[in-house]
């Protein structure tokens, strides 16, 4: 008697239906459209690459454009660089961005909407994407106990994935050896919860902020405190930002701390003294970011975002469009500023001048658009909205875009290292992906069954990891062919996951939460 296969499960039927729908929905390009002339332009410098090239419309897909551009540049197959293509619209409606992302092919993006015709020449700007690829983490390599209360913050060293620091409700921070999966140092000194941990860009100092109203600096090699706590705030410290490495005076790094007392204080790390107190907010300051152009960005529960000159402490602009608390900020250059002269190759310059030059070069590469340094800012709020801002424009108070779609408060936003994607995490259980240039909605990542507290991109901008109250971390494909698809479901935590981070070299993901354990995930 032949074996009768069991009926397909609901998940299998759904997967088959999705596959069939995708196969039916493949848009076809008419074969009788002839050719179109394309001129490639380097987005960073604004200079053309080669002459205009005539391409059959039916073959003008992103993959073929990428192959053609590599051949124009003389790159071998082994040296092929992946690119992203953008088109600058000539006529723009009010509130619309003039930048269009070519996601599939020229026909669907430009010819079908009527933006261009085959009789015109098209100028396409190109941006190189990461050449190296980060592999999706899929297994828990270490589950390290040690903390006595919930873990509230984690961050990898910018130098490598060998060290991670965590802050906890047990009044301590801990440094962990990720190579062996063991505790390295316990940082004791705070008298209340450690809310925020932050490595300096050169990875030589760790700063921790606490509910005891202080910031303490630590030596990551010995685990000992570097002097006395930095006292000045009258309520707990919620956020810390280091001065970018390429802006630091030699041997005199600074950091900014934001507090519930509605102030931001800039500290001289060497002398442990307050340089400037930024007082202008009327509510708790939820986040502070230190930009690469010397500006400080602060968000507050008074519904505003303020932009300050870090050298003088003067207020430059107040952004006032949010209707509720502003929870979080992110800069398009965050990754380059956090990692400074460190990168995935592990090659660190031997001299101070070399380190400074590399840090400055990496920042300028991340921030340059059309030959100009442009740092985008994104803000997340309890009013369910997100705003994308361009603080370097002539009208910084006017946002580039208002990002709508979340049904509950937005807790966290982050830019991809390339600056081309924004991920927003919300209490509505969803993560949404947006264009980092225009703010256009791309797609939603659905899979979590509890509030999503935060998310973090991999160093190549192709993967995203998220941590949620549903006790799971999830890895999503946001840059490959299966954009928006769940790549890995990381199960192991026994309670809510509050903090998650992806190492700068792409090797490890670290997570922590209510179960008091740091978990390390690798491929």
């Amino acid at each position: 008697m032949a074996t009768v296969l069991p009926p397909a499960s609901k998940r299998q039927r759904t997967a088959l239906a999705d596959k069939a729908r995708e196969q039916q929905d493949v848009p076809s390009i008419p074969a009788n459209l002839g050719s179109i002339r394309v001129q490639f332009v380097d987005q960073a410098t604004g200079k053309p690459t080669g002459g205009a090239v005539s391409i059959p419309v039916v073959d003008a897909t992103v993959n073929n454009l990428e192959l053609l551009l590599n051949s124009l540049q003389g790159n071998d197959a082994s040296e092929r660089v992946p690119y992203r293509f953008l088109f600058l619209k000539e006529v723009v409606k009010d509130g619309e961005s003039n930048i269009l992302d070519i996601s599939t092919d020229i026909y669907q993006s430009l010819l079908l909407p009527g933006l261009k015709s085959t009789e015109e020449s098209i100028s396409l700007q190109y941006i190189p994407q990461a050449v190296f690829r980060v592999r999706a983490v899929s297994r828990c390599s270490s589950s390290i106990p040690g903390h006595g209360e919930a873990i509230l913050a984690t961050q990898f060293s910018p130098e490598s994935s060998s060290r991670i620091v965590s802050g906890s409700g047990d009044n301590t921070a801990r440094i962990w050896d990720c190579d062996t999966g063991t505790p390295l140092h316990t940082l004791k000194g705070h008298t209340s919860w450690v809310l925020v941990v932050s490595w300096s860009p050169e990875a030589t100092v760790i700063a921790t902020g606490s509910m005891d109203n202080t910031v303490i600096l630590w030596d990551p090699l010995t685990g000992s405190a570097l002097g006395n706590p930095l006292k000045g705030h009258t309520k707990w410290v919620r956020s810390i930002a280091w001065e970018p490495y390429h802006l630091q005076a030699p041997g005199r790094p600074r950091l900014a701390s934001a507090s519930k007392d509605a102030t931001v204080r800039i500290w001289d790390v060497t002398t442990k003294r307050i340089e400037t107190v930024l007082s202008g907010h009327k509510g708790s300051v939820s986040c502070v970011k230190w930009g690469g152009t010397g500006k400080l960005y602060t968000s507050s529960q008074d519904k505003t975002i303020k932009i300050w000159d870090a050298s003088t402490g003067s207020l430059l602009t107040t952004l006032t469009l949010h209707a509720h608390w502003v929870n979080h900020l992110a800069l398009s250059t965050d990754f380059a500023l956090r990692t400074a002269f460190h990168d995935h190759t592990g090659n660190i310059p031997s001299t101070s001048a070399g380190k400074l030059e590399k840090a400055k070069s990496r920042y300028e590469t991340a921030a340059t658009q059309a030959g100009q340094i442009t740092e985008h800012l994104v803000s997340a709020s309890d009013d369910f909205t997100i705003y994308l801002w361009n603080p370097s424009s002539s009208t910084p108070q006017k946002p580039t875009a208002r990002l709508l779609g979340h049904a509950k408060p937005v807790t966290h936003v982050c830019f991809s290292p390339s600056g081309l994607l924004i991920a927003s995490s919300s209490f509505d259980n969803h993560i949404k992906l947006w264009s980092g240039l225009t703010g256009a909605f791309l797609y939603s990542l659905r899979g979590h069954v509890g509030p999503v507290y935060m998310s973090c991109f991999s160093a190549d901008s192709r993967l995203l990891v998220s941590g949620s109250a549903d006790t799971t971390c999830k890895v999503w494909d946001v840059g490959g062919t299966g954009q928006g698809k769940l790549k890995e479901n990381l199960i192991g935590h026994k309670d809510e996951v509050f903090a998650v981070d992806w190492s700068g070299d792409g090797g490890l993901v670290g997570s922590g939460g209510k179960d008091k354990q740091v978990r390390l995930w690798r491929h």
Side-chain angles (χ1 to χ4, degrees), residues 6-18:
S9 67
K10 183 178 178 181
R11 180 176 290 181
Q12 290 170 325
R13 293 197 303 272
T14 305
L16 287 170
D18 288 345

Side-chain angles (χ1 to χ4, degrees), residues 427-509:
F427 273 25
D428 64 7
N429 306 357
H430 297 158
I431 303 129
K432 292 186 183 292
L433 267 288
W434 318 79
S435 165
L437 299 175
T438 66
F441 173 70
L442 301 176
Y443 45 83
S444 290
L445 306 178
R446 294 184 173 91
H448 284 296
V449 293
V452 185
Y453 291 125
M454 69 177 296
S455 51
C456 183
F457 281 93
S458 62
D460 65 352
S461 304
R462 294 186 177 99
L463 298 169
L464 179 80
V465 64
S466 55
S468 165
D470 66 8
T471 76
T472 69
C473 297
K474 296 185 190 295
V475 180
W476 310 86
D477 184 346
V478 295
T481 52
Q483 287 187 354
K485 293 287 175 25
L486 179 64
K487 193 93 171 170
E488 299 288 346
N489 194 21
L490 307 180
I491 299 171
H493 280 289
K494 299 180 179 69
D495 213 326
E496 301 183 32
V497 182
F498 293 142
V500 66
D501 193 28
W502 207 313
S503 64
D505 59 11
L508 283 176
V509 166

